[in-house]
Amino acid sequence: ETKPEWWKEATVYQIYPASFKDSNNDGWGDLNGIKSKLGYLKDLGVDCIWICPFYESPQKDMGYDIADYEKVWSTYGTNKDIFDLISEVHSMGMKILVDLVLCYTSDQNKWFKESRSSTDNPKRDWFMWKKPKGYDKSGKPIPPNNWRSFFGGSSWEYDKKTKEFYFHTFTVEQPDYNWENAECRAAMFENAVGYWLRHGVDGFRIDVGGMYSKVAGLPDAPITNPKDEYQMAGELSQNGPRIHEYHKLMHHYMMSQIDDKRDLLTVGEIGTADDKNQFLYTGADRGELSEMFNCKHMGIGKSPAFKYDMVPFTLKDFKLTLADSFLWVNGTNGWSTAFLENHDQGRSVSRFGNDSTPESRAASGKLLATLLIALTGTLYVYQGQELGCVNCKGWKISDFEDIECRNNYRIISEKYGKDSQEVVDFKKGVDIISRDHSRTPFPWSSEKPYAGFTDGAKPWFKINELFKTGINAADEIKDPNSVLNFWKRALKFRKANKDILIYGYDFEFIDLENLKLFSFTKKYGFKTLFAALNFSDDDLKFTLPEDKSFNFAFGTHSLPKQFDTVLRPWEARLYLAE
Ligand code: TEU
């Protein structure tokens, strides 16, 4: 049997460089700060780290607007610092992924500056330029279509100098590349991919990996939000006609840059994709990606029309959307990921657990950890998730700094008024799902004022004051019952039972309709796993399957008495039968 790929069994820890650890006391996290904490990560049981963009950038979208792929942003350090970090990670037996952002670039990238300089510039076609659809009565140019930027407003920006629009899926400062242009692709690969492979990275997290190929002709999008002048493109800009061809080209380039020994991990942030497409992206013989993030479960509770309009959801919605990421793997040679947090989401304990008391916060943090380690797919943990970090509480709208929040707030308050119901509803959504909840400086200790994140200048962003209540690494390291120490035990248990937990198949929900109990079985050879998780504040009865003799194997609470089939609030139990 061939040796399995390292990345299928790895636990990958995602680091947001701005907020992880400040080593030079300028109020910003940095690469040397990350290096100083590798021991903490190794001790947690991390096999691989993924660092969000640390490249030269005007920081309009926290570094996803990259101006130079081959240069470290000076606030994060120098190129020597990242090379030292890569070798230190390797010397500690861990691996490192960097973020690969090639759907768009920064408007300060020299290529875009050339492209916008004239309609006949050789790089004009490297970006998506289009003539206006026409002009309105006042002579104002009309965008080529009605697509909405993820950050609000039109996806088209008019360039007065050359009298054409350019396309941007996200901020105005992030012009999308034209992947149809082969010269552009070659330059992107050489600079953003080749450079980092030559400097020893073990792979890439591939940003917005489903949107390189847009539907031909760029037709108007259907009206999904009648209250908005512009409409999300949805499937018109996602999983497009040439997307698999483009990933094959990029994968082929990567393979040409390394010797066969290194087994790269490429994880695509695809957003949403049906079962067929998830296989097409990740099938072992497809030559595209190793695995992908399917973000369907990240979308529950958010209205399809506008993500900040909250809608009710049930545990059944959570079960089914989460399973959308891994049920399809069964019987294929594709692969997937298991995750509940990242830098674009609110904290999972606040969204799917109960953060209203210290006890329910810790219990639900452990329950979500138990769920994740029992799932098929590569496991991703986001910084602070291991501590049971929760959303920021009682913040005013002006405390939020995320461009997505600020743009949408400006548009809504200008349209409806600062005291309108629309603004009240928007703020309700911000308090639950804002990306900022995951971007506050990491709480290393209970030390005031900045939780050990920095000893110097005021941090670039507000601290989540709950670090004073014990939600910080130093206090949790000392407490055997902390969420952190539970995660350590949980990752050890996953490693010790990786056959059934990671490679297990025939996943079956038990009592799917139960809106408090998340229960399932999965198999591996003669082994069967039975999981029972209580997603509620009440004691909850469950039934052990009778067809096998299950033994308690792992859980969030103390060893249950034989035949004890009542789960306490937020209690999770895993049983094994041979
Ligand atoms: O996110 C792309 C993306 O589609 C989702 O994560 C989400 O729609 C986005 O966060 C807006 O809500 C990637 C990065 O993860 C994100 O941080 C960047 O802001 C985004 O691309 C654009 O650069």
Side-chain angles (χ1 to χ4, degrees):
E1 144 152 331
T2 53
K3 191 176 156 322
E5 293 84 352
W6 64 269
W7 37 268
K8 289 189 173 178
E9 304 179 3
T11 294
V12 184
Y13 187 91
Q14 181 192 354
I15 293 172
Y16 200 64
S19 304
F20 192 61
K21 176 67 184 156
D22 173 13
S23 72
N24 64 350
N25 293 328
D26 64 353
W28 282 83
D30 49 53
L31 296 172
N32 287 331
I34 295 171
K35 194 165 79 169
S36 75
K37 294 296 181 182
L38 292 180
Y40 165 82
L41 297 175
K42 185 77 181 170
D43 190 48
L44 172 57
V46 167
D47 302 296
C48 177
I49 61 173
W50 147 32
I51 309 178
C52 284
F54 47 77
Y55 317 103
E56 184 62 37
S57 161
Q59 299 297 329
K60 299 293 181 191
D61 182 24
M62 288 303 292
Y64 276 93
D65 49 318
I66 298 166
D68 185 342
Y69 296 98
E70 300 186 356
K71 193 171 176 309
V72 171
W73 183 43
S74 56
T75 304
Y76 287 143
T78 64
N79 281 33
K80 182 181 177 312
D81 292 334
I82 185 64
F83 301 151
D84 288 350
L85 178 58
I86 292 169
S87 53
E88 184 67 12
V89 165
H90 289 154
S91 68
M92 293 176 71
M94 294 189 283
K95 301 209 181 244
I96 179 168
L97 309 184
V98 294
D99 224 303
L100 181 56
V101 187
L102 291 182
C103 186
Y104 44 78
T105 190
S106 162
D107 62 356
Q108 299 308 307
N109 182 325
K110 60 182 185 304
W111 296 338
F112 184 69
K113 288 182 175 178
E114 289 174 45
S115 177
R116 76 179 313 166
S117 62
S118 73
T119 51
D120 57 5
N121 178 282
K123 291 189 175 60
R124 186 70 176 184
D125 188 44
W126 286 27
F127 296 88
M128 294 169 63
W129 292 97
K130 290 261 176 289
K131 291 196 180 329
K133 191 192 258 182
Y135 297 83
D136 67 14
K137 286 192 289 306
S138 64
K140 191 165 165 277
I142 300 168
N145 67 22
N146 69 345
W147 293 12
R148 179 183 185 276
S149 154
F150 273 76
F151 297 152
S154 168
S155 258
W156 296 93
E157 178 68 8
Y158 189 64
D159 177 69
K160 290 192 184 62
K161 183 173 180 202
T162 57
K163 296 187 176 27
E164 289 185 344
F165 285 90
Y166 68 83
F167 182 81
H168 57 90
T169 301
F170 294 95
T171 65
V172 171
E173 298 88 352
Q174 291 171 295
D176 280 48
Y177 284 115
N178 171 21
W179 269 74
E180 313 240 335
N181 183 295
E183 220 186 43
C184 172
R185 292 197 305 261
M188 290 196 284
F189 295 169
E190 176 53 31
N191 278 266
V193 178
Y195 181 83
W196 293 103
L197 286 177
R198 287 190 292 280
H199 284 95
V201 300
D202 301 288
F204 299 94
R205 176 267 187 177
I206 296 178
D207 181 72
V208 191
M211 293 189 184
Y212 300 156
S213 169
K214 281 84 170 169
V215 71
L218 304 176
D220 271 356
I223 310 282
T224 47
N225 184 359
K227 293 170 76 169
D228 199 323
E229 185 182 355
Y230 304 102
Q231 302 301 318
M232 294 302 286
E235 282 306 301
L236 297 177
S237 70
Q238 175 78 3
N239 308 322
R242 298 182 66 181
I243 193 63
H244 295 294
E245 175 196 346
Y246 293 154
H247 276 293
K248 283 183 170 58
L249 288 168
M250 185 150 75
H251 177 81
H252 182 75
Y253 174 80
M254 288 183 186
M255 293 302 111
S256 72
Q257 298 302 305
I258 57 168
D259 53 47
D260 309 36
K261 282 193 305 302
R262 245 163 65 199
D263 191 354
L264 283 192
L265 166 52
T266 52
V267 53
E269 179 210 27
I270 300 298
T272 52
D274 61 20
D275 292 2
K276 177 169 172 289
N277 256 319
Q278 289 187 70
F279 173 70
L280 293 177
Y281 280 117
T282 68
D285 315 317
R286 297 273 307 158
E288 293 188 33
L289 299 168
S290 316
E291 58 196 38
M292 59 172 267
F293 296 125
N294 180 27
C295 305
K296 198 148 183 200
H297 57 303
M298 292 288 101
I300 56 171
K302 305 173 185 175
S303 151
F306 180 49
K307 68 183 276 190
Y308 289 93
D309 281 347
M310 294 290 99
V311 293
F313 68 91
T314 67
L315 182 63
K316 183 177 174 186
D317 300 322
F318 179 71
K319 294 177 193 177
L320 292 175
T321 51
L322 183 65
D324 200 57
S325 286
F326 57 79
L327 284 181
W328 67 272
V329 174
N330 209 4
T332 76
N333 64 14
W335 196 245
S336 187
T337 57
F339 73 101
L340 287 176
E341 293 195 16
N342 60 44
H343 64 297
D344 293 330
Q345 303 298 335
R347 289 287 182 180
S348 56
V349 169
S350 301
R351 289 188 66 193
F352 311 119
N354 177 350
D355 67 1
S356 60
T357 71
E359 298 71 28
S360 63
R361 175 200 66 85
S364 53
K366 295 173 185 175
L367 172 126
L368 292 170
T370 308
L371 172 61
L372 278 173
I373 62 155
L375 296 181
T376 292
T378 300
L379 175 54
Y380 284 76
V381 179
Y382 176 70
Q383 70 177 51
Q385 182 178 358
E386 79 276 19
L387 301 179
C389 283
V390 297
N391 283 351
C392 306
K393 300 294 177 191
W395 280 22
K396 305 183 299 302
I397 193 73
S398 55
D399 291 322
F400 292 88
E401 80 86 35
D402 177 16
I403 181 82
E404 181 183 71
C405 180
R406 288 189 159 175
N407 279 7
N408 281 303
Y409 176 64
R410 175 176 41 76
I411 292 166
I412 293 169
S413 52
E414 280 169 5
K415 188 167 180 179
Y416 299 102
K418 281 197 181 345
D419 305 325
S420 64
Q421 187 56 42
E422 284 79 2
V423 165
V424 168
D425 293 344
F426 174 67
K427 177 60 166 58
K428 277 196 196 113
V430 167
D431 287 341
I432 299 168
I433 62 144
S434 169
R435 309 193 299 176
D436 275 333
H437 293 299
S438 299
R439 301 179 174 191
T440 55
F442 189 96
W444 290 104
S445 73
S446 56
E447 232 173 274
K448 297 189 177 82
Y450 304 132
F453 164 73
T454 180
D455 299 331
K458 189 164 174 292
W460 70 279
F461 188 32
K462 229 169 119 70
I463 292 253
N464 186 331
E465 294 301 326
L466 287 169
F467 77 92
K468 298 168 187 161
T469 67
I471 307 176
N472 66 72
D475 287 353
E476 294 203 29
I477 284 169
K478 287 187 299 232
D479 171 5
N481 292 321
S482 65
V483 178
L484 174 64
N485 281 314
F486 183 82
W487 262 105
K488 284 181 190 170
R489 294 194 292 274
L491 293 178
K492 282 195 180 72
F493 181 76
R494 180 170 164 96
K495 275 278 186 299
N497 296 275
K498 60 188 172 187
D499 52 0
I500 181 83
L501 295 182
I502 299 178
Y503 297 103
Y505 44 78
D506 290 351
F507 175 103
E508 280 193 27
F509 281 114
I510 291 182
D511 199 357
L512 174 62
E513 301 305 320
N514 192 314
L515 300 186
K516 291 183 177 180
L517 180 69
F518 189 141
S519 183
F520 60 88
T521 56
K522 60 197 267 193
K523 291 188 173 58
Y524 187 87
F526 297 109
K527 286 183 187 173
T528 304
L529 171 79
F530 169 73
L533 296 93
N534 179 3
F535 273 73
S536 83
D537 295 311
D538 313 315
D539 282 358
L540 187 63
K541 183 143 183 46
F542 71 96
T543 314
L544 259 176
E546 259 108 42
D547 60 337
K548 296 204 173 6
S549 65
F550 283 98
N551 297 310
F552 176 78
F554 185 79
T556 52
H557 291 54
S558 54
L559 184 68
K561 292 182 197 54
Q562 186 71 358
F563 311 119
D564 160 8
T565 56
V566 176
L567 294 168
R568 273 148 293 175
W570 304 99
E571 180 177 6
R573 291 187 199 164
L574 302 180
Y575 292 82
L576 287 172
E578 294 271 344

Coordinates of all heavy atoms in Angstrom, one line a residue, residues 19 29 35 67 98 111 130 147 155 161 213 264 317 332 349 398-399 433 440 466 475 485 554:
S19 N -2.0 39.7 13.7 CA -2.6 39.6 15.0 C -2.0 38.4 15.8 O -2.6 38.1 16.9 CB -4.1 39.4 14.9 OG -4.7 40.4 14.2
G29 N 1.6 42.3 14.6 CA 2.2 41.0 14.6 C 3.3 40.9 13.5 O 3.3 41.8 12.6
K35 N 7.8 33.1 14.7 CA 8.9 32.1 15.0 C 9.1 31.9 16.5 O 9.3 30.8 17.0 CB 10.3 32.7 14.4 CG 11.4 31.7 14.4 CD 12.5 32.1 13.5 CE 13.4 33.1 14.2 NZ 14.6 33.4 13.5
A67 N 1.1 43.8 -3.8 CA 1.7 44.7 -4.8 C 3.0 44.0 -5.3 O 3.5 44.3 -6.4 CB 2.1 46.0 -4.1
V98 N 2.0 28.9 2.3 CA 1.8 30.4 2.2 C 0.6 30.6 1.4 O 0.1 29.7 0.7 CB 3.0 31.1 1.6 CG1 4.3 31.0 2.5 CG2 3.3 30.5 0.2
W111 N 2.4 45.6 -12.7 CA 1.7 45.0 -13.9 C 0.4 45.8 -14.1 O 0.1 46.1 -15.3 CB 1.4 43.6 -13.7 CG 2.6 42.7 -13.6 CD1 3.9 43.0 -14.0 CD2 2.7 41.4 -13.0 NE1 4.7 41.9 -13.7 CE2 4.0 40.9 -13.1 CE3 1.7 40.5 -12.5 CZ2 4.4 39.6 -12.7 CZ3 2.1 39.3 -12.0 CH2 3.4 38.8 -12.1
K130 N -13.2 46.6 -19.9 CA -14.4 46.6 -20.8 C -14.9 48.0 -21.1 O -14.8 48.8 -20.1 CB -15.5 45.8 -20.2 CG -15.3 44.3 -20.1 CD -16.0 43.5 -21.2 CE -15.7 42.1 -21.2 NZ -14.3 41.8 -21.6
W147 N -22.9 43.2 -11.8 CA -22.3 42.4 -10.8 C -21.9 43.3 -9.6 O -21.3 44.4 -9.8 CB -21.1 41.6 -11.3 CG -21.5 40.6 -12.3 CD1 -22.7 40.4 -12.9 CD2 -20.6 39.5 -12.8 NE1 -22.7 39.3 -13.8 CE2 -21.4 38.8 -13.7 CE3 -19.3 39.2 -12.6 CZ2 -20.9 37.7 -14.4 CZ3 -18.8 38.1 -13.3 CH2 -19.5 37.4 -14.2
S155 N -18.9 46.0 -9.3 CA -17.6 45.2 -9.5 C -16.8 45.9 -10.6 O -15.7 45.4 -11.0 CB -17.9 43.8 -9.9 OG -17.7 42.9 -8.8
K161 N -8.9 57.9 -17.6 CA -7.8 58.1 -18.6 C -8.0 57.3 -19.9 O -7.9 57.8 -21.0 CB -6.4 57.7 -17.9 CG -5.2 58.0 -18.8 CD -3.9 57.7 -18.1 CE -2.8 58.0 -19.1 NZ -1.5 57.4 -18.7
S213 N -12.1 31.8 -13.5 CA -12.7 31.7 -14.8 C -14.2 32.1 -14.7 O -15.0 31.5 -13.9 CB -12.7 30.2 -15.3 OG -13.6 30.0 -16.4
L264 N 3.6 18.2 -2.3 CA 3.0 19.5 -2.0 C 1.6 19.4 -1.5 O 0.8 18.6 -1.9 CB 3.0 20.4 -3.2 CG 4.3 21.0 -3.7 CD1 3.9 22.0 -4.8 CD2 5.0 21.7 -2.6
D317 N -29.6 21.9 9.8 CA -28.9 22.7 8.7 C -27.4 22.6 8.9 O -26.6 22.4 8.0 CB -29.3 24.2 8.8 CG -30.8 24.4 8.6 OD1 -31.4 23.7 7.8 OD2 -31.3 25.3 9.4
T332 N -14.3 7.7 -3.4 CA -13.6 8.4 -4.5 C -12.1 8.5 -4.0 O -11.8 8.2 -2.9 CB -14.1 9.9 -4.7 OG1 -13.6 10.7 -3.7 CG2 -15.6 9.9 -4.8
V349 N -17.5 29.1 18.5 CA -18.2 28.9 19.8 C -19.4 29.9 19.8 O -20.5 29.5 20.3 CB -17.3 29.1 21.0 CG1 -18.1 29.2 22.3 CG2 -16.3 28.0 21.0
S398 N -18.3 51.5 15.0 CA -17.0 52.2 14.6 C -15.8 51.4 15.2 O -14.6 51.7 14.8 CB -17.0 53.6 15.2 OG -17.2 53.5 16.6
D399 N -16.0 50.4 16.0 CA -14.9 49.6 16.5 C -14.4 48.6 15.5 O -13.3 48.1 15.5 CB -15.3 48.8 17.8 CG -15.5 49.8 19.0 OD1 -14.7 50.7 19.1 OD2 -16.4 49.5 19.8
I433 N -21.2 37.7 12.7 CA -20.4 37.1 11.7 C -19.3 38.0 11.2 O -18.5 37.6 10.3 CB -21.3 36.7 10.5 CG1 -21.9 38.0 9.8 CG2 -22.3 35.6 10.8 CD1 -22.0 37.9 8.4
T440 N -8.8 39.9 16.0 CA -8.2 40.7 17.2 C -6.9 40.1 17.6 O -6.7 38.8 17.4 CB -9.2 40.7 18.3 OG1 -9.5 39.3 18.7 CG2 -10.5 41.5 18.0
L466 N -12.0 39.9 26.6 CA -12.3 38.7 27.4 C -11.1 37.9 27.8 O -11.1 37.0 28.5 CB -13.3 37.8 26.6 CG -14.7 38.4 26.5 CD1 -15.6 37.7 25.5 CD2 -15.4 38.3 27.9
D475 N -3.0 31.3 30.9 CA -3.9 30.7 31.9 C -4.4 29.3 31.5 O -4.5 28.4 32.3 CB -5.1 31.7 32.1 CG -4.8 32.9 32.8 OD1 -3.6 33.0 33.3 OD2 -5.6 33.9 32.9
N485 N -5.9 22.7 26.7 CA -5.4 21.3 27.0 C -6.4 20.2 26.5 O -5.9 19.1 26.2 CB -5.2 21.2 28.5 CG -3.9 21.9 28.9 OD1 -2.9 21.7 28.3 ND2 -4.0 22.7 29.9
F554 N -13.5 8.5 24.0 CA -13.0 9.9 24.2 C -14.2 10.8 24.4 O -15.2 10.6 23.8 CB -12.2 10.3 22.9 CG -11.6 11.7 23.0 CD1 -10.4 11.8 23.7 CD2 -12.2 12.8 22.5 CE1 -9.8 13.1 23.8 CE2 -11.6 14.1 22.6 CZ -10.4 14.2 23.3

